[in-house]
Amino acid sequence: MSNRKYQEKAIESLLCLSGVTAVVILFLICIFLFRDGLALFQNYSFIDFLIGTKWYPTSQPNQFGLLPLLFGSIIVTFGAIIFSVPLGIAVAIYIAELAGEKEADVLKPLVEILAGIPSVVYGFFGLVVLVPLLQNILDLPTGQTALAGSIMLGIMALPTIISMSEDAISSVPRSIKDGSLALGSTEWQTINKVILPAALSGISAAVMLGIGRAIGETMTVMMVTGNTAIIPGFPDGLFVPVRTMTATIALEMGEVPQGSEHFYALFAIGSVLFITTFITNIVAEYIKKKYKFNMGAGQ
Amino acid sequence: MLQIFLNGYSAISIEFLTEMPRKRMTEGGIYPAILGTIYLIVGSMGVAVPLGVLSAIYLNEYAQPGKTKWLIEMAINNLAGTPSVVFGLFGLAMFVKYMGFGASLLASALTLALMVLPIIIRTSQEALITVPEEYRYASLALGVTKWQTIRQVVLPAAIPGMITGAILGVGRVAGETAPILLTGAAYFLPRLPDSIYSQFMALPYHLYVIATAGTNISQTRPIQYGTALVLLAIVLSVNMIAVSIRRHYRKKLRN
Amino acid sequence: MSGQNNGKQTEIEVRGLNLWYGNNHALHNISIDIPKNSVTALIGPSGCGKSTFLRCLNRMNDLVKNCRIEGNVRIDDKDIYSKEVDVVDLRKRVGMVFQKPNPFPMSIRDNIAYGPKIHGFSKNEIDSIIEDALRSGALWDEVADRLSTSALNLSGGQQQRLCIARTLAVKPEVILFDEPCSALDPISTSKIEELIMELKKKYTIVIVTHNMQQAARISDNTAFFLTGDLIEYGKTDQIFENPKMKPTEDYITGRFG
Ligand SMILES: Nc1ncnc2c1ncn2[C@@H]1O[C@H](COP(=O)(O)OP(=O)(O)OP(=O)(O)O)[C@@H](O)[C@H]1O
Ligand SMILES: [Mg+2]
């Protein structure tokens, strides 16, 4: 009898243990990333890293300035958001409000498929199709630019934005919509004045996660942005090659000796990246929570 | 997409799929890359699926709302949003360096396992939630223990949903490049991997290499298209299977 | 008021039972004796705590968070809330049939075999248990030729009888019914009522019902609950023909919401 109780307890402990592994992994990621990242600052000034404008990891003396890479990531992400947020929300509205069941049945799996394509395939596609196209149309010396990265990242962020926004829009109570339509508003006025504001926080959470995705994306960006580490201007920076934090790590890690300053510098970049996405996740989560609460109170 | 399909299709043949690359990867097949990707899938799923399913069971069936549960779910959310290249760095620091696995299949598979863990946990949780509470009550009221109830009633009912999650995970593992690039994927290897400590080739990284760093990029376009198509075919068919299982299952639930 | 022993041997003895869901004091100081091999009906308006009381008898309330219980429940003269008692064993002895039929998504055979299999009966034993249980559950004639088809294809009434048979298969002493007929049509209902009358020869039965006629038809004793109090308990004939308390009379005569 008590034998069985012990057995049940043992199983529960085992399950708890596997549940906690997620926490342990997150914790280990912090430790390993920050440990090697902080190792850079034994010999290199933290301020120089943070506000340095030059990334010359192999020159003498080497310079590990974060800014060109940070701005590279920002400009590519920014471009992606400008392009994908309006489009994503429009598609979400269409699927949730305007499309018939049949169209939604085609569009939704299509979005899921879009989400499943590996980033390296997006990168390849960008490289063989988009890059030459941009070069010809805009008459640039090279098509490998921040813009190419933005467009590809925009496409890749679309599924996240569409499916989460669609959830947010669909969860606006039917009664609110009907109430507005009953007052004689047109369908479009209802969407614009009633549904979108009600779904706003859900949509913002979607956008935050989309940003997180875009900042963290590596292979695609690496293949289409040209990877030149200079601080881009705006908006002309869109039309020149840039280098993001992610691409820098992936490109240079293969060549650096383990334990060198350059090696640690890449971990420092990784730490910055991790902290950035950590914050976007928390913010998205917070917005989502708040929004759920509002919806609950509103009903 | 169509372009990849058309150009890729003409490049694919049995030899392409079963031969080693030749002449600095400007000719020959992609067999070692396919094999490497399969090893990665098996290795990482072997770790992530049991761990993820057990975690999901804990979260849905045992954990009481409170600090522990909040902490675990927060961690899962953040892991899901962590960039793959950061997982790569972590795998490099922890598995390759600290645990001494070296750049290897083992290190890469473990890194990928951690990366897909949140997907597996979430889809498993979703699957468990759809199992009606009545089944649990019925079983417990028969004098069956909680764990037996989960094993005999809850899990069988949740399995289709969990399989969907695992398949989505497979798609993700097959397509990821950045983590394996940092933890063990090789640019080119003349031999197949012979142990879990060997380096290996994998489809996504192979595509990246031949598309950007080959000796004669424009001349090897057909091989690039072929590789892209094979990769795309694997990932998409895997996803399509997952999506259709899920649909079938949801429809059945509704009736 | 406290329950009386009605001559027969007592199977369930409840003393001073109080129950809280968080701050909601759902059962107030309930004392009652439920005799062996009889049908005891629990009646009362919605939300008065009938189901809650029933779930105290096989400790299903243990599954509810924030649920706190005080007092004494003895079944077969053993305190079921004492530390030494294994809930799992208790629930084997005190079976429960729910409001909504809840067969497992398995074959008819596997539904019945589920309990005995886990409790370690051999294959041969299980085969005879299945037939016995289905016969006692008055379902054998209807399903004997399709034991391996899914239980979900049965009608609601058949499903409920399957759930009863499933409970019988683990050989309980007491069976608790929580409004077992409320989701069923009149014909299925009368079949289940007949079955319950038959079962009381071997089992002690406690049944929650909203249907006054049903309580009058099948029960030996009736307990009337109101907002967490046990108002009146006695022989069913007495409760229906000659209630001692005003609220009982109001409820039975339908002068109650
Ligand atoms: N799981 C629970 N958690 C919190 N409160 C509960 C729970 N179950 C029941 N209650 C509360 O306890 C009280 C009694 O509920 P109970 O379900 O026992 O009533 P009932 O007599 O069975 O009603 P009905 O005839 O509608 O089934 C109610 O106030 C109810 O809200
Ligand atoms: Mg009830």
Side-chain angles (χ1 to χ4, degrees):
Chain A
M1 178 192 101
S2 60
N3 202 349
R4 183 166 63 204
K5 267 189 187 162
Y6 283 127
Q7 206 179 328
E8 285 283 310
K9 273 277 160 234
I11 288 168
E12 180 168 353
S13 315
L14 193 80
L15 290 171
C16 181
L17 213 63
S18 21
V20 170
T21 42
V23 181
V24 174
I25 292 167
L26 193 65
F27 188 67
L28 285 176
I29 289 181
C30 293
I31 293 188
F32 276 91
L33 218 56
F34 295 161
R35 194 191 59 174
D36 280 2
L38 288 174
L40 171 68
F41 306 120
Q42 282 170 352
N43 299 314
Y44 194 83
S45 139
F46 181 63
I47 302 292
D48 285 351
F49 171 71
L50 217 53
I51 58 168
T53 55
K54 297 207 166 69
W55 179 263
Y56 293 146
T58 49
S59 67
Q60 284 301 329
N62 21 19
Q63 298 201 39
F64 303 113
L66 171 68
L67 287 185
L69 313 179
L70 184 65
F71 280 112
S73 284
I74 290 176
I75 193 167
V76 172
T77 304
F78 184 74
I81 291 306
I82 285 191
F83 155 71
S84 65
V85 166
L87 186 59
I89 294 177
V91 175
I93 292 175
Y94 181 75
I95 294 181
E97 294 295 321
L98 306 173
E101 200 163 311
K102 267 197 196 136
E103 287 139 326
D105 260 7
V106 175
L107 279 173
K108 276 189 176 179
L110 210 67
V111 172
E112 286 183 58
I113 286 174
L114 216 55
I117 296 176
S119 54
V120 68
V121 174
Y122 276 112
F124 178 63
F125 176 77
L127 195 63
V128 295
V129 178
L130 183 66
V131 166
L133 197 72
L134 284 178
Q135 187 174 3
N136 290 337
I137 293 179
L138 299 174
D139 196 21
L140 299 168
T142 167
Q144 292 192 322
T145 55
L147 182 63
S150 290
I151 294 175
M152 289 319 296
L153 282 191
I155 296 175
M156 294 171 73
L158 271 179
T160 311
I161 296 179
I162 293 175
S163 60
M164 278 190 63
S165 303
E166 197 232 314
D167 281 348
I169 294 171
S170 307
S171 65
V172 174
R174 192 74 245 170
S175 54
I176 295 187
K177 299 173 195 171
D178 291 347
S180 167
L181 288 172
L183 288 174
S185 316
T186 63
E187 185 125 32
W188 173 241
Q189 284 168 328
T190 305
I191 290 172
N192 198 18
K193 293 264 153 63
V194 178
I195 296 176
L196 281 186
L200 187 65
S201 14
I203 295 175
S204 328
V207 172
M208 280 316 284
L209 283 187
I211 292 178
R213 276 282 151 74
I215 292 182
E217 183 44 56
T218 312
M219 297 315 290
T220 317
V221 178
M222 195 159 124
M223 290 167 86
V224 301
T225 56
N227 301 317
T228 312
I230 44 164
I231 296 185
F234 189 79
D236 38 324
L238 277 173
F239 305 105
V240 295
V242 293
R243 170 184 281 216
T244 64
M245 298 190 285
T246 50
T248 307
I249 297 170
L251 275 172
E252 295 176 8
M253 195 46 99
E255 269 109 61
V256 302
Q258 282 185 14
S260 68
E261 229 174 29
H262 188 183
F263 179 82
Y264 293 132
L266 293 179
F267 272 89
I269 300 282
S271 305
V272 172
L273 196 58
F274 178 68
I275 293 169
T276 316
T277 50
F278 194 87
I279 293 172
T280 21
N281 285 328
I282 300 268
V283 172
E285 205 51 37
Y286 174 77
I287 297 174
K288 228 165 49 177
K289 279 260 163 62
K290 215 174 95 185
Y291 136 83
K292 274 206 181 114
F293 174 72
N294 280 344
M295 296 296 295
Q299 273 168 348
Chain B
M1 287 301 122
L2 199 65
Q3 185 168 6
I4 289 183
F5 184 77
L6 291 178
N7 286 313
Y9 188 72
S10 57
I12 290 180
S13 62
I14 298 290
E15 292 77 41
F16 182 68
L17 297 178
T18 57
E19 277 184 5
M20 303 289 286
R22 288 192 308 269
K23 298 200 181 154
R24 295 173 167 196
M25 296 183 281
T26 56
E27 281 177 30
I30 55 170
Y31 177 61
I34 295 179
L35 196 68
T37 289
I38 291 173
Y39 284 156
L40 282 180
I41 290 173
V42 173
S44 55
M45 286 295 133
V47 175
V49 169
L51 198 56
V53 169
L54 292 180
S55 304
I57 292 177
Y58 177 73
L59 284 172
N60 273 42
E61 309 290 327
Y62 286 89
Q64 306 288 333
K67 281 218 177 86
T68 318
K69 190 172 181 188
W70 175 85
L71 194 67
I72 295 176
E73 297 202 314
M74 188 274 297
I76 293 169
N77 276 336
N78 278 294
L79 286 180
T82 298
S84 57
V85 69
V86 170
F87 275 100
L89 281 178
F90 169 67
L92 171 62
M94 166 117 176
F95 300 127
V96 176
K97 268 178 58 191
Y98 183 76
M99 297 180 78
F101 297 155
S104 61
L105 253 177
L106 181 61
S108 287
L110 287 175
T111 308
L112 290 176
L114 301 189
M115 200 193 70
V116 293
L117 189 61
I119 300 180
I120 308 272
I121 295 180
R122 279 179 175 175
T123 45
S124 302
Q125 272 188 290
E126 247 175 62
L128 287 171
I129 287 173
T130 58
V131 178
E133 205 64 354
E134 283 89 50
Y135 293 168
R136 297 178 177 87
Y137 292 149
S139 174
L140 291 170
L142 291 170
V144 173
T145 62
K146 188 165 182 175
W147 172 243
Q148 286 283 14
T149 298
I150 292 170
R151 260 194 48 188
Q152 307 287 345
V153 179
V154 180
L155 276 184
I159 285 268
M162 292 184 167
I163 291 177
T164 313
I167 297 178
L168 286 176
V170 168
R172 187 78 198 279
V173 165
E176 268 304 335
T177 319
I180 59 172
L181 177 110
L182 300 183
T183 55
Y187 182 80
F188 172 73
L189 281 178
R191 274 160 288 100
L192 299 174
D194 50 12
S195 86
I196 53 172
Y197 297 108
S198 317
Q199 283 199 286
F200 58 92
M201 294 174 74
L203 279 175
Y205 185 48
H206 188 64
L207 174 59
Y208 167 70
V209 167
I210 56 180
T212 59
T215 34
N216 197 339
I217 294 179
S218 42
Q219 193 196 321
T220 59
R221 278 281 187 248
I223 298 186
Q224 297 167 23
Y225 278 115
T227 311
L229 182 63
V230 171
L231 180 57
L232 205 56
I234 292 178
V235 171
L236 289 189
S237 56
V238 154
N239 280 338
M240 233 105 86
I241 293 170
V243 170
S244 59
I245 290 182
R246 187 160 61 193
R247 275 192 161 203
H248 177 75
Y249 181 54
R250 279 194 186 149
K251 278 215 179 103
K252 226 171 90 181
L253 266 183
R254 246 178 266 145
N255 296 337
Chain C
M1 108 146 239
S2 104
Q4 308 300 311
N5 192 327
N6 291 281
K8 274 188 174 176
Q9 195 191 339
T10 302
E11 168 100 33
I12 306 171
E13 181 187 325
V14 180
R15 289 289 173 271
L17 181 73
N18 280 288
L19 181 146
W20 291 263
Y21 291 119
N23 292 327
N24 176 10
H25 192 172
L27 290 177
H28 309 154
N29 206 19
I30 309 288
S31 296
I32 190 170
D33 284 346
I34 294 171
K36 215 176 171 70
N37 293 346
S38 67
V39 178
T40 302
L42 310 180
I43 60 171
S46 195
C48 65
K50 306 177 297 289
S51 302
T52 302
F53 176 74
L54 201 67
R55 287 198 303 265
C56 287
L57 302 182
N58 68 344
R59 293 184 57 177
M60 283 302 267
N61 278 324
D62 289 15
L63 305 174
V64 179
K65 279 166 223 126
N66 299 324
C67 175
R68 192 160 57 83
I69 295 171
E70 275 175 12
N72 216 302
V73 180
R74 304 178 77 82
I75 294 182
D76 221 4
D77 220 22
K78 272 183 235 96
D79 180 3
I80 63 166
Y81 282 93
S82 91
K83 278 230 166 69
E84 296 94 70
V85 167
D86 186 345
V87 213
V88 174
D89 281 329
L90 170 71
R91 293 190 189 134
K92 226 186 292 182
R93 286 170 43 219
V94 184
M96 186 167 210
V97 176
F98 298 79
Q99 182 167 358
K100 228 176 92 205
N102 56 358
F104 299 125
M106 314 168 177
S107 70
I108 295 172
R109 179 186 287 111
D110 289 346
N111 262 278
I112 307 287
Y114 178 82
K117 211 184 263 167
I118 289 178
H119 297 143
F121 286 91
S122 76
K123 198 146 178 9
N124 290 337
E125 285 171 307
I126 289 176
D127 282 340
S128 70
I129 289 175
I130 290 175
E131 181 168 344
D132 288 349
L134 283 171
R135 281 192 192 282
S136 314
L139 194 60
W140 176 256
D141 297 334
E142 290 159 62
V143 301
D145 54 342
R146 48 171 175 151
L147 288 180
S148 24
T149 60
S150 167
L152 302 180
N153 295 335
L154 297 174
S155 74
Q158 288 173 324
Q159 287 190 1
Q160 194 63 304
R161 276 178 283 150
L162 179 73
C163 293
I164 296 174
R166 184 176 64 187
T167 305
L168 297 177
V170 297
K171 304 197 165 30
E173 297 155 30
V174 179
I175 308 176
L176 312 173
F177 290 86
D178 193 348
E179 303 186 37
C181 304
S182 65
L184 305 181
D185 61 281
I187 295 176
S188 304
T189 300
S190 72
K191 273 198 183 138
I192 300 228
E193 285 183 7
E194 269 168 43
L195 176 56
I196 290 175
M197 303 284 277
E198 187 62 31
L199 290 175
K200 81 171 182 184
K201 291 177 190 154
K202 281 162 90 186
Y203 307 89
T204 302
I205 288 167
V206 186
I207 176 169
V208 172
T209 176
H210 267 278
N211 181 332
M212 228 65 64
Q213 285 82 29
Q214 183 169 63
R217 273 196 303 268
I218 64 173
S219 71
D220 302 299
N221 296 296
T222 298
F224 173 61
F225 282 75
L226 186 62
T227 57
D229 289 302
L230 173 60
I231 302 291
E232 186 166 359
Y233 175 53
K235 291 260 180 239
T236 299
D237 298 343
Q238 176 252 309
I239 295 279
F240 279 89
E241 283 156 25
N242 189 16
K244 293 201 180 91
M245 311 294 281
K246 185 79 170 62
T248 317
E249 192 182 334
D250 289 348
Y251 183 70
I252 285 165
T253 51
R255 255 174 280 155
F256 225 97

